[in-house]
């Protein structure tokens, strides 16, 4: 995959952590993230005794209200091997709202000790098929 | 029951921002193959069109219009037409006594007619002729988004709305058409855009059928009626009826050895023809695999295809309308204008036949896209879903082979908006509205970023092997944008966009990108 070295153009002198994403289709999104070393270090310090073996992860959450029954909710952690990168990630439920965070997760408790560093804007996954919205009409003047 | 048929030709111009040589060559060939034949159709059908409003829609981009109105480009078009006449004259002389001679004469006469049309009939002014037909009510001219950037790929509302505002300014002041219907590049759309389109005064747009499949509620009238969201009317591009080019490829004289993409970007596609037959489209894939291109027979086949296409549209509308109890079924079809006569040689014959048959038909009504709300007393309210005409929603831009650019482009976009906002705050604090030099730099950076996101570039960069130098072009644009954003951040007076879409600078200088913040 081509990449460009922008060091000479002040690119990479990051002032803040960031995570951005765009839906590719109902099943995948393209995620781009940039995390500063000092942010990771601060997160590791917050983990305290749980810090040994902690790793950088991309945490995806999706949530969908349903007319009947409890809402659907899923969480998926994807290990990241780089503080700065981009990749396709699987989306949980087509049509559902998704959030993505990059943070540091303690190795010994995947469901608990997670220190988020940065959150994405919410993203609604495209649908494979029409939603269950009510039939509404607009009178055309 | 009457079928409302909305035909749209969208005429963008890939590659114009690149080096001037290939761009001029591309424009010259496209004018020869597409726009001159299109004007001939309008001239020939004349009063038959426009009885109940414009018969079809032509979506134009600012770079295309600027090029068609530029003297240097007009000179290049004239030279291409002269070269075409000379080349075909030489072929006709060389092939005297050869079975291909009648075909060579056909091409010679056609080249002479096109040259005469451009220099004498239209006085080298394609846009004036198109505007004339628009004033006569035969066609509707609408703007395509100024830079051809697909809106869903832009990171900020500010830049998306700046693009819409720049397009509006251009449409009203230079294209001289009322603002309302717009052409979204590649029909790329995501539901969040409805609000922004409505805020910027857009009244209608055409989307791909993908957006119907992912709508917020099931479209009960299928693809045969628009959807309304936030006061914007969305038409669905009918996938099956957009396929006559597929038929042409299989059954007619599609330039199959060149391929559409190759023909669009090669400065001289004729060089690929058989030695000795250069300048002649002489190989044809027909029912009997006739080796020699026979223009009259190919034209007749294109006319038969037009009859079949219209019959299919009628049958589809009638069967679906009965099932859905629709009184006024509507079918929207959108084709790339440059394919009609460019990639498919007999395309203009097909198009003319469709227009003529439809205009004379009692059960078909030709309608301009966006000007037909009177057809429906009510429309379903639903939010169309994400989609584009490329397979897989946004996969054309977000395939890993192409998506590497997004991290850079979207990050620069956020930095750009932030820098412009800071500059505006400073200017307000100093009691002045803005620094012209920095406005120009902001406009230049915006333009470069939008070029980076342009739809053709996105699709082409997946095929770097086919496009020599494209990777360098992308890197050049990206570095240029980064330098301009950096200059903005430093408060320097960079002279942005000196070479990129200079014609669009006034539109972007006037578009207040802070409006979306």
């Amino acid at each position: 995959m081509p990449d460009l070295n922008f060091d000479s153009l002040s690119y990479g002198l990051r002032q803040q952590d960031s995570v951005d994403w765009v839906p590719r289709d109902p099943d995948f999104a393209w995620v781009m993230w940039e995390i500063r070393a000092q942010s990771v270090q601060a997160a590791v310090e917050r983990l305290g005794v749980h810090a040994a073996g902690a790793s950088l992860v991309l945490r995806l959450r999706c949530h969908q209200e349903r007319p009947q029954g409890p809402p659907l909710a899923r969480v998926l952690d994807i290990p990241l091997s780089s503080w700065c990168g981009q990749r396709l990630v699987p989306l949980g439920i087509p049509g559902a709202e998704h959030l993505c965070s990059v943070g540091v997760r303690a190795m010994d408790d995947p469901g608990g000790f997670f220190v988020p560093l940065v959150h994405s804007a919410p993203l609604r996954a495209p649908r494979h098929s029409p939603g269950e919205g009510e039939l509404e009409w607009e009178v055309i003047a | 029951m009457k079928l409302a048929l909305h035909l749209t030709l969208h005429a963008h111009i890939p590659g114009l921002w690149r080096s001037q040589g290939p761009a001029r060559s591309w424009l010259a060939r496209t004018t020869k193959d597409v726009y001159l034949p299109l004007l001939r159709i309008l001239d020939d059908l004349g009063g038959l069109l426009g009885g109940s409003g414009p018969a079809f829609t032509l979506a134009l981009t600012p770079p295309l219009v600027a090029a068609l109105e530029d003297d240097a480009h007009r000179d290049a078009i004239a030279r291409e037409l002269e070269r075409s006449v000379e080349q075909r004259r030489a072929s006709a002389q060389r092939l005297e006594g050869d079975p291909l001679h009648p075909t060579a004469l056909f091409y010679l006469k056609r080249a002479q007619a096109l040259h005469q049309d451009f220099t004498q009939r239209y006085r080298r002014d394609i846009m004036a002729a198109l505007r004339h037909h628009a004033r006569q009510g035969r066609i509707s001219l609408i703007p395509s988004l100024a830079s051809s950037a697909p809106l869903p790929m832009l990171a900020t509302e500010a830049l998306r709305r700046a693009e819409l505002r720049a397009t509006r300014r251009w449409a009203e002041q230079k294209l001289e058409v009322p603002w309302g219907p717009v052409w979204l590049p590649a029909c790329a759309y995501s539901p969040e855009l409805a609000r922004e389109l409505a805020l910027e005064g857009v009244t209608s747009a055409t989307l791909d059928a993908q957006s119907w499949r992912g709508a917020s509620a099931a479209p009960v009238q299928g693809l045969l009626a628009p959807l309304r969201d936030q006061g914007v009317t969305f038409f669905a591009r009918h996938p099956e009826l957009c396929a006559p080019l597929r038929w042409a490829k299989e059954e007619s004289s599609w330039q199959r050895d060149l391929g559409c993409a190759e023909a669009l970007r090669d400065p001289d596609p004729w060089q690929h023809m058989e030695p000795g037959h250069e300048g002649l489209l002489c190989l044809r894939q027909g029912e009997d695999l006739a080796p020699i291109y026979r223009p009259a027979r190919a034209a007749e086949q294109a006319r038969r295809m037009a009859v079949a296409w219209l019959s299919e549209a009628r049958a589809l509308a009638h069967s679906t309308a009965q099932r859905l109890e629709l009184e006024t079924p509507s079918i929207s079809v959108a084709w790339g204008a440059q394919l009609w006569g460019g990639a498919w040689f007999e395309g203009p014959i097909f198009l003319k036949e469709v227009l003529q048959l439809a205009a004379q038909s009692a059960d078909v009504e030709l309608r301009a896209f966006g000007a037909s709300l009177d057809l429906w007393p009510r429309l379903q309210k639903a939010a169309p879903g994400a989609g584009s005409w490329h397979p897989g929603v946004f996969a054309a831009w977000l395939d890993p082979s192409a998506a590497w650019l997004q991290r850079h482009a979207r990050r620069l976009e956020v930095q750009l908006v932030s820098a412009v906002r800071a500059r505006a705050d400073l200017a307000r604090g100093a009691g002045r509205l803005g620094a012209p030099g920095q406005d120009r730099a902001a406009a230049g950076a915006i333009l470069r970023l939008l070029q980076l996101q342009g739809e053709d570039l996105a699709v082409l960069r997946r095929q770097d092997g086919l496009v020599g130098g494209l990777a360098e072009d992308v890197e050049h644009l990206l570095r240029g944008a980064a330098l301009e954003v950096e200059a903005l951040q430093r408060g320097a007076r960079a002279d942005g966009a000196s070479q990129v879409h200079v014609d669009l600078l006034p539109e972007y200088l006037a578009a207040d990108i802070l409006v979306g913040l």
Side-chain angles (χ1 to χ4, degrees):
Chain A
M1 182 185 304
D3 208 342
L4 302 173
N5 177 5
F6 270 41
D7 289 347
S8 62
L9 304 174
S10 82
Y11 190 87
L13 298 179
R14 299 182 290 278
Q15 302 299 312
Q16 59 187 23
D17 305 319
S18 70
V19 59
D20 183 20
W21 60 347
V22 193
R24 190 189 78 154
D25 56 41
D27 301 313
F28 290 94
W30 183 257
V31 181
M32 302 147 271
W33 69 93
E34 296 185 38
I35 304 298
R36 296 169 301 165
Q38 61 262 41
S39 302
V40 175
Q41 189 177 352
V44 168
E45 287 170 4
R46 278 187 62 190
L47 284 174
V49 295
H50 302 281
S55 59
L56 193 65
V57 297
L58 189 73
R59 174 161 290 187
L60 297 171
R61 293 187 188 86
C62 65
H63 179 91
Q64 188 175 42
E65 296 289 341
R66 294 191 297 177
Q68 294 168 339
L72 290 174
R74 290 182 190 165
V75 178
L76 173 67
D77 282 352
I78 299 172
L80 298 179
S81 58
S82 167
W83 294 353
C84 173
Q86 53 200 328
R87 58 166 289 171
L88 277 176
V89 296
L91 292 170
I93 305 169
E97 185 167 278
H98 289 66
L99 276 171
C100 152
S101 312
V102 177
V104 176
R105 189 188 71 186
M107 185 176 68
D108 58 351
D109 193 350
F113 290 103
F114 174 73
V115 180
L117 301 175
V118 63
H119 301 285
S120 71
L123 176 151
R124 186 164 293 281
R127 291 188 177 90
H128 282 296
S129 55
E132 297 173 356
E134 290 183 8
L135 178 59
E136 289 182 83
W137 295 95
E138 182 173 336
V139 175
I140 306 299
Chain B
M1 187 185 69
K2 204 165 188 177
L3 165 64
L5 193 54
H6 301 83
L7 303 179
T8 301
L9 307 186
H10 52 94
H12 52 265
I13 182 164
L16 191 64
W17 56 271
R18 297 177 71 194
S19 56
Q20 289 298 300
R24 281 190 187 163
S25 173
W26 186 91
L27 182 74
R29 285 200 320 276
T30 305
T31 303
K32 172 168 69 74
D33 294 337
V34 178
Y35 297 114
L36 287 170
L38 182 63
L39 284 172
R40 265 293 181 174
I41 292 173
L42 289 164
D43 285 358
D44 290 349
L45 296 183
L48 192 59
L49 304 178
S52 59
F56 70 98
T57 303
L58 183 61
L60 294 165
T61 59
L64 174 63
V65 173
L68 287 172
E69 293 182 330
D70 175 70
D71 280 339
H73 282 92
R74 286 173 177 167
D75 291 344
I77 294 168
R79 281 196 302 274
E80 167 69 13
L81 291 167
E82 287 161 13
R83 188 188 71 88
S84 174
V85 170
E86 290 311 311
Q87 191 179 32
R88 280 140 189 75
R89 181 176 288 126
S91 295
Q93 287 171 354
R94 189 174 59 252
L95 292 169
E96 193 116 24
D98 188 285
L100 278 173
H101 190 243
T103 307
L105 284 179
F106 161 79
Y107 276 104
L108 173 59
K109 286 179 185 168
R110 180 177 179 275
Q112 289 169 328
L114 289 170
H115 181 260
Q116 191 170 12
D117 278 357
F118 184 68
T119 55
Q120 295 174 31
R121 188 181 185 94
Y122 304 122
R123 299 175 187 276
R124 297 170 30 118
D125 196 341
I126 300 288
M127 280 311 303
L130 286 173
R131 286 192 177 99
H132 164 74
H133 286 296
R135 280 195 298 274
Q136 296 297 313
R138 294 168 191 147
I139 56 170
S140 169
L141 303 179
I142 66 165
S144 181
L145 283 197
S147 71
S148 283
L151 290 181
M153 290 303 111
L154 299 182
T156 62
E157 179 179 341
L159 206 62
R160 291 191 293 269
R161 291 182 65 181
E163 173 79 331
L164 288 164
R165 291 163 80 90
T167 306
R168 177 176 191 161
R169 183 183 150 95
W170 173 80
E172 290 177 340
Q173 298 193 1
K174 295 195 176 162
L175 191 58
E176 297 167 8
V177 297
W179 177 246
V182 297
W183 178 257
L184 300 177
C187 296
Y189 181 78
S190 53
E192 301 77 29
L193 291 174
R195 176 184 147 273
E196 296 166 20
L197 294 174
L199 284 170
E200 295 301 338
V202 172
T203 56
S204 50
T206 296
L207 307 181
D208 192 81
Q210 277 180 4
S211 290
W212 259 236
R213 283 196 291 275
S216 61
V220 295
Q221 297 176 321
L223 299 174
L224 299 190
L227 292 176
R228 292 270 286 183
D229 188 23
Q230 314 260 345
V232 182
T233 307
F234 294 100
F235 292 76
R237 177 176 174 269
H238 204 287
E240 292 168 35
L241 290 167
C242 286
L245 288 168
R246 175 173 52 77
W247 302 355
K249 191 171 182 178
E250 291 166 359
E251 300 177 23
S252 187
S253 55
W254 174 276
Q255 297 177 18
R256 61 200 306 270
D257 292 331
L258 306 179
C260 166
E262 193 64 28
L264 284 177
R265 69 176 78 99
D266 193 302
D268 184 11
W270 297 108
Q271 66 182 308
H272 297 284
M273 304 306 289
E274 291 288 316
H277 297 160
E278 64 271 18
L280 297 179
L281 180 63
C282 55
L283 299 174
R284 174 166 175 267
Q285 185 82 358
E287 61 269 19
D288 57 356
L289 299 176
I292 296 175
Y293 178 63
R294 301 187 193 287
R297 202 170 69 171
E300 186 51 39
Q301 185 166 346
R303 289 189 196 97
R304 282 202 305 271
M305 287 169 63
V307 173
W309 183 87
L310 202 56
S311 297
E312 186 178 329
R314 277 198 187 95
L316 198 149
H318 280 249
S319 63
T320 314
Q322 279 182 350
R323 184 165 50 84
L324 299 176
E325 298 179 354
L326 271 174
E327 286 183 14
T328 313
S330 151
I331 287 181
S332 291
V333 179
W335 293 305
Q338 72 269 30
L339 297 180
W340 298 89
W344 184 23
F345 188 72
E346 291 84 13
I349 299 171
F350 174 96
L351 186 62
K352 181 178 177 182
E353 191 73 8
V354 165
L355 290 170
Q356 189 163 3
L357 290 170
Q360 292 170 333
S361 168
D363 63 350
V364 178
E365 189 172 0
L366 291 167
R367 285 287 188 138
F369 149 69
S372 53
L373 283 184
D374 57 307
L375 290 173
W376 301 280
R378 61 177 191 168
L379 286 173
Q380 186 181 352
K381 280 177 75 173
S388 76
W389 68 35
H390 296 295
V393 187
F394 302 137
W397 297 276
L398 296 173
D399 180 275
S401 65
W404 62 271
L405 185 61
Q406 293 302 328
R407 181 160 68 91
H408 306 300
R410 289 171 68 91
R411 180 182 168 82
L412 280 173
E413 183 184 332
V414 172
Q415 289 177 331
L416 167 68
V417 171
S418 171
V420 172
R421 181 160 51 176
R423 180 194 64 78
D425 288 345
L426 274 175
R428 272 194 291 271
R432 57 190 169 82
L433 289 178
Q438 289 198 7
D439 280 344
R440 185 178 170 82
I446 291 170
L447 274 167
R448 255 188 239 268
L449 280 173
L450 292 171
Q451 290 302 318
L452 271 173
Q453 297 281 18
E455 64 160 300
D456 296 291
L457 187 59
V459 176
L460 290 175
R461 69 175 171 250
R462 301 179 66 192
Q463 308 164 19
D464 278 357
L466 291 178
V467 190
L470 186 65
E472 289 78 7
D473 287 341
V474 170
E475 184 169 339
H476 177 74
L477 275 173
L478 190 50
R479 286 184 178 278
L483 281 169
E484 284 161 7
V485 171
E486 188 199 22
L488 273 182
Q489 289 173 321
R490 285 191 288 106
R493 287 172 176 261
D495 184 20
S498 57
Q499 298 299 323
V500 185
H501 273 356
V502 173
D503 297 310
L504 276 175
L505 262 179
E507 273 64 57
Y508 286 96
L509 282 169
D512 181 1
I513 75 165
L514 298 174
V515 72
L517 296 175

